[in-house]
Structures are given as C-alpha cells and as structure tokens.
Amino acid sequence: MPRAHKSRSGSLQYWPRKRAQKETARVRSWPKVDKAMLLGFPAYKTGMTHAQVQVNNPHSRLKNDLFSIPVTILECPAIKPFSLRFYKKTPYGLKTVSEILNKNFDKDLARKLRLPKKQMTNELPNDYDDVRLICSTQPKITSIGKKKPEVLEIGIGGPLESKAEYGKSWFDKEIKIGDVFKGNQLVDVHGVTKGKGFQGTIKRFGLSLKAKKSEKKKRSTGNLGAVTPSKVLYTVPQAGKMGYHLRTEVNKQILKIEPYSKETIPKNGFRHYGLVKNTYLILKGSVFGPRKRLLTLTQPMRNKKVYAYEIKRIVL
C-alpha cells in the first residue's frame, strides 16, 4: 500500500542551528524613531494566567462581550544607566569610538564587570554615527534569588544631534518601565528560549517512528543521503542540542502596566518565581523562555492596527 507524502518537520529558516552565546538577548537592529526616546526595556518573565477583557473598539463585532484571553506577567524593576557608548560605521560593522561613564553607577556592577579605576573622559567624540545607552538591571530588588546584575544595551531614538544629550539626561535617574512604554501598545520581544538538552530526531524534527520490521533503530533517520558524493547535507535531520536559541517575537501587545498591589498579585506569589515586588506589565499571549528569564522589550519594527482591550478581571 502506498504511503502518503509527509512534508519535513523542523524549520530550515534558522541556520546555523546553535545555542545562544549568553542568556541576555542581543538586539541587532533598533527601529528608527523621529522622537528622542529610549527604544527598549528589560523585564523578567513571571508566569502565565488568563484575563477577562472587553474590546473598546465601537466597530468590533466583539464589543460589549466579555471573553478570556491568555496573558503573560512580566516584572519590570527599574534599571540604572552605566555609560553612554558612541559607535562609528565601518565596512566590518559598528565599532566603538568612545564611551562616557556615569559617575553614579550601581556598585553591584563589580559582580559582573571589571570596573575602571579612573574616571573616563566626559567629552563627546568629534565623529560618530550612533549612540546607545548601557544599563544594568537590579535583580536584588526582585525575589528571583539573584544578586549579579545583567548589563544590556538600549538604543536611543531621535536625530543624531540630540541622542547624546538625551542619553546623558538619564545618568542621575532610575529608568522605569512607564518612561519607555505605555498600555495598549505593541512591542517586540527578544530573548532566549528554553534549553532542552541533547535530543533525538523524533523530538527535534518530528520524524515518524520506523515500521515494525525495519532494521536496527526505530527512532533514527532512515537514510542520511547518497553514497556518492560522500556528503551529508545540512537539511538531513540528525540528533543534537535543542533549544536555548535567540529568538524574536514581533507585535506583542501590552494590555496594562501597573505598580505592585496586594489586590491584583497572589499573596504567595507565582509558582517557580516567587513574589512580585515591583511594577509589572500584562502582555497578551505567551512568550518564550522559562520563568525568571530576562526578556528585552523594544519598540515595534512593524506597526499594525491595535485593538484597545479593557481588562475587567485577572484570574490568578
């Protein structure tokens, strides 16, 4: 009896299929914005639940209806600026030309970086093409059981002439999530997915089990390719490490940003995370990564129409 054709499983879109270099996501491209503003903010993944919402769009067929949607809770403690870094475009990519250090940086950075012993120059370079703000997180004010801060780079929007002064204006302040994002807006989420270890082809690529009378193995690839040329193509499914990949999800909607309150947060906290002690946001849908994973939210690269949701009740 002939067998039906089955298309391949396992996306070939990502190549090479390798693990991320570090747990903090690297944002390779920042959106171009005319207004002087910060383009990103880090947040810790807390967990998932569902919320009862109502659509405020008067022309929606769902108006005045109450329905449930899955949501993700992200805790967003304030971050502290560490330095302002200047880049110059070269044929080999952006290269650092100068850096202005904040005098009032967080002392916990000594756990993460080798701090300079003398103060760096505060003069702006003569020629540069981009400016970015280097910031550090404050995991010590959360309940994830960690003291070493993460250091990440945040892009700055607006014209090049005003980027440096705008970045320096944050040196004496703590940056909060409300300074960067607002409710009912879209964001892109950058982060590292769950690591699943070394896996076989059945789990990694979704291959079918071999027939009952097949020789030797049942959970392996049947044929690795031709004898001549003696080469195995990269498209052939093989066992290997799975997960812990750098990924980006676009156009995730922020439903609400609110400070911590005992009325909305469970008394005993979230499972495998703990208590939420800082401002948090509610994101529509799910995002990748395990609990306590640091995710970077950025301004959206692809704008689209947004439906305004009004949260009536969060089921925790």
Side-chain angles (χ1 to χ4, degrees), residues 16-27:
R17 185 186 298 272
K18 65 177 184 178
R19 293 161 58 88
Q21 293 182 354
K22 55 183 180 179
E23 196 172 289
T24 306
R26 175 189 176 190
V27 182

Side-chain angles (χ1 to χ4, degrees), residues 126-261:
N126 296 326
D127 189 18
Y128 58 92
D129 295 320
D130 199 7
V131 185
R132 294 175 185 175
L133 189 65
I134 311 300
C135 297
S136 62
T137 60
Q138 300 186 79
K140 63 181 180 182
I141 62 176
T142 67
S143 58
I144 64 176
K146 181 180 179 180
K147 295 182 179 179
K148 183 185 293 187
E150 294 94 349
V151 179
L152 69 157
E153 189 177 73
I154 296 178
I156 301 176
L160 182 63
E161 299 77 23
S162 63
K163 283 186 178 182
E165 291 301 323
Y166 180 78
K168 289 180 69 175
S169 67
W170 288 105
F171 273 12
D172 297 328
K173 308 174 187 175
E174 282 190 344
I175 305 172
K176 300 180 180 180
I177 182 67
D179 300 327
V180 184
F181 299 116
K182 59 183 184 297
N184 275 316
Q185 82 157 90
L186 296 178
V187 293
D188 294 346
V189 183
H190 306 259
V192 178
T193 62
K194 283 184 181 180
K196 301 181 184 297
F198 192 93
Q199 300 294 336
T201 55
I202 301 296
K203 181 177 177 70
R204 199 174 184 220
F205 293 101
L207 300 187
S208 300
L209 291 171
K210 288 185 180 179
K212 180 181 178 182
K213 292 189 176 182
S214 64
E215 294 184 19
K216 299 179 181 178
K217 300 178 182 178
K218 274 197 162 186
R219 299 179 61 90
S220 67
T221 309
N223 187 355
L224 293 181
V227 176
T228 306
S230 57
K231 176 184 178 182
V232 178
L233 298 178
Y234 78 94
T235 57
V236 177
Q238 295 191 70
K241 289 184 178 179
M242 181 180 177
Y244 206 75
H245 301 306
L246 180 63
R247 295 291 181 261
T248 300
E249 276 195 66
V250 300
N251 291 341
K252 308 293 288 189
Q253 185 173 351
I254 296 176
L255 298 179
K256 197 173 186 179
I257 299 176
E258 61 181 9
Y260 164 76
S261 64

